[in-house]
Amino acid sequence: FMEKFKEEQDLKFKYRSALIYSLVTLLTCPCNTTWNLTYGLVFLLVPALALFFLGYLVKSKLWRLLTGCCKLGPSMSLGTCLQNTILCCHVSWDTVLAPLIWVAVALLQGTFFECAGSGNVCIVRYLCSKLYAKGTLDYGNCTDQLPLVPCQKTKMDDVQDLLKELKALSQVLGWILIGLVIISVLIGTSFARCQSPVSLQQLNFWKIYLKQEQKFFNMEATERATELAKKNVKGFFEASSEKENTSTKEEEHNPSREEVYIPSTEAWQQISSLYTYNPKEHYYSMLHKYVNKKGKRHDSRASQRNRMYPVLHFVDEPFLSSTDAL
């Protein structure tokens, strides 16, 4: 779980320059009651929303679940639907970490909240009531001048001093949000480890295996794809003749040693389905399972009906990491 948290951190910093600094340069608080709140919230929440959707785009597990889900096929059982729902919730939780981190950092800086808070009716009433209670400033003048505070256009020193309170309030909210995120991550990590069906050392071995499986899969897939592409391109550019056409037809019935074997569509579908842990089977991935059951007809969706084995969330992420650039 902490690895997911680190990935969300990396995603945040990867897109920060494009999503944040370009927007900050455009931010000029309008310093009026009508637009302060809108401007502040837009520049506080829109980057967070963008990070949220970007997080969905790079989740290979989500694409495993969605790819081909609309095609006609056997209806899913209640257990399978529940597992898919739990998976979507888990992916959403992983994805929301980066937006929460951005909001927390923005609150600690205080710039966006100062603009938004100076245009919020409740905050304005609270701050101006404090000055009015002290008798240092008329309430009406305070509410008129407070929206000008972020631009330092107010001529009243007492009102300008309220900028410190806005920033302090923003930082308090930021630290509260950080605390909630840390507590949530701690609880989620502890719960996931308590529910783990395997020991710590086996989990470590499992993760190493998945990395190596991905490495060799990519190498073999690259080699096969290169051979097939080279063969097809070479055949396209070769001069065609009746003799060559005849020899080609013969080769179709008697495949030569140079023929490149590519797995069937059914095989690709089986290794692309989501992995579900089964304590009766000692498989570390869908590829591992397919290889050991090769030759046996296997419906990955039908086999999961009426079964509620735990989903190990780290299993399906590395295998499709090559799609993370989507």
Side-chain angles (χ1 to χ4, degrees), residues 256-324:
S256 64
R257 295 181 180 179
E258 297 179 354
E259 183 177 356
V260 181
Y261 172 76
I262 302 297
S264 64
T265 301
E266 182 181 358
W268 287 108
Q269 289 176 345
Q270 289 186 23
I271 69 168
S272 298
S273 58
L274 285 169
Y275 176 87
T276 303
Y277 176 76
N278 187 340
K280 298 179 181 179
E281 301 174 341
H282 299 285
Y283 301 126
Y284 293 114
S285 68
M286 291 305 298
L287 180 62
H288 185 195
K289 185 175 184 178
Y290 172 79
V291 171
N292 283 269
K293 290 190 173 184
K294 193 172 183 180
K296 300 179 182 179
R297 189 170 183 83
H298 171 67
D299 188 342
S300 60
R301 292 186 177 179
S303 65
Q304 294 179 6
R305 292 177 183 173
N306 301 322
R307 296 184 182 182
M308 282 302 295
Y309 299 128
V311 177
L312 299 180
H313 300 290
F314 68 89
V315 175
D316 295 306
E317 290 293 345
F319 190 71
L320 289 183
S321 63
S322 58
T323 63
D324 287 352

Side-chain angles (χ1 to χ4, degrees), residues 5-216:
F5 185 78
K6 183 177 181 299
E7 290 177 4
E8 298 297 339
Q9 286 265 47
D10 295 338
L11 177 66
K12 168 183 173 291
F13 289 110
K14 180 179 179 180
Y15 293 101
R16 181 171 181 173
S17 59
L19 295 176
I20 308 304
Y21 291 121
S22 60
L23 295 178
V24 170
T25 58
L26 299 177
L27 176 61
T28 302
C29 188
C31 293
N32 63 69
T33 306
T34 305
W35 290 103
N36 275 21
L37 178 61
T38 303
Y39 263 66
L41 292 180
V42 165
F43 285 94
L44 181 66
L45 300 180
V46 169
L49 188 63
L51 286 173
F52 181 74
F53 288 117
L54 282 173
Y56 268 124
L57 287 175
V58 299
K59 288 297 179 183
S60 59
K61 189 178 298 184
L62 184 64
W63 296 118
R64 274 182 180 258
L65 184 64
L66 293 180
T67 301
C69 67
C70 295
K71 69 179 182 179
L72 296 177
S75 58
M76 292 187 297
S77 65
L78 179 61
T80 303
C81 291
L82 181 59
Q83 284 184 342
N84 292 343
T85 301
I86 295 174
L87 176 63
C88 290
C89 293
H90 182 270
V91 171
S92 298
W93 168 243
D94 284 349
T95 304
V96 82
L97 287 178
L100 290 178
I101 292 171
W102 153 248
V103 173
V105 171
L107 287 174
L108 290 177
Q109 292 175 347
T111 304
F112 303 130
F113 185 83
E114 290 170 2
C115 184
S118 62
N120 182 270
V121 177
C122 296
I123 295 178
V124 170
R125 288 178 178 175
Y126 169 73
L127 294 177
C128 290
S129 296
K130 292 178 63 177
L131 290 182
Y132 179 74
K134 294 179 180 179
T136 58
L137 189 67
D138 180 74
Y139 181 83
N141 291 334
C142 178
T143 56
D144 292 337
Q145 293 294 315
L146 188 57
L148 303 177
V149 166
C151 301
Q152 298 183 350
K153 293 181 179 180
T154 178
K155 298 179 180 179
M156 300 181 178
D157 294 337
D158 292 336
V159 177
Q160 187 64 41
D161 290 340
L162 294 178
L163 184 64
K164 297 179 181 179
E165 294 198 31
L166 285 173
K167 188 170 185 177
L169 179 59
S170 177
Q171 292 176 340
V172 168
L173 293 176
W175 283 115
I176 290 175
L177 182 57
I178 290 176
L180 292 176
V181 170
I182 293 175
I183 292 173
S184 300
V185 170
L186 178 61
I187 293 175
T189 303
S190 301
F191 180 79
R193 289 306 177 109
C194 291
Q195 296 295 321
S196 175
V198 295
S199 64
L200 176 63
Q201 292 300 331
Q202 188 174 1
L203 277 176
N204 293 334
F205 172 83
W206 204 324
K207 293 177 181 180
I208 294 172
Y209 167 82
L210 291 174
K211 292 180 180 179
Q212 295 302 315
E213 181 185 271
Q214 178 197 352
K215 174 183 175 181
F216 288 111

